[in-house]
Amino acid sequence: MVDRRPVDIMPNILAPVIVYASLLIPVVIVVVATLSYLGLGLAPPTADWGGMISDAQNYYTTAWWFMFFLGVALLLTTLAFNLFGDGVRDAFDPRSDRLFE
């Protein structure tokens, strides 16, 4: 019987766990924003992107930039975390031949 201690397994599992966690952050941000936009998220005194975008709909005809810049901030944040996660994956696996993936 092979003795597999956590000390032997952790170095091999650490990189995929870090990559998976960094790629899940934007998913969680978008899910929380979506739930808040629908009114199922955080309580109203707490500021979050979904609630702010939902409130900005009331002013869309007079102040379109409220909704626009909130949406752009949400998009750029999720894009930044996705690119960070992809960079971390490339850093932990430099031998992969992922040229256009």
Side-chain angles (χ1 to χ4, degrees):
M1 184 165 171
V2 177
D3 182 25
R4 298 205 182 229
R5 289 177 254 168
V7 177
D8 297 333
I9 296 173
M10 285 305 286
N12 294 324
I13 198 173
L14 188 62
V17 167
I18 291 172
V19 169
Y20 185 66
S22 67
L23 290 175
L24 274 181
I25 291 172
V27 173
V28 171
I29 291 172
V30 170
V31 167
V32 169
T34 303
L35 288 175
S36 295
Y37 177 77
L38 295 174
L40 302 172
L42 299 172
T46 306
D48 62 343
W49 275 322
M52 288 189 286
I53 291 174
S54 178
D55 291 340
Q57 277 186 333
N58 299 332
Y59 306 107
Y60 181 66
T61 56
T62 58
W64 57 269
W65 54 87
F66 286 162
M67 185 183 279
F68 177 76
F69 288 118
L70 286 169
V72 168
L74 181 63
L75 174 78
L76 289 178
T77 302
T78 56
L79 180 66
F81 275 112
N82 275 324
L83 292 175
F84 174 73
D86 193 39
V88 169
R89 178 176 42 197
D90 290 343
F92 279 128
D93 190 16
R95 289 179 284 146
S96 67
D97 290 334
R98 295 181 334 115
L99 186 57
F100 297 108
E101 207 177 52

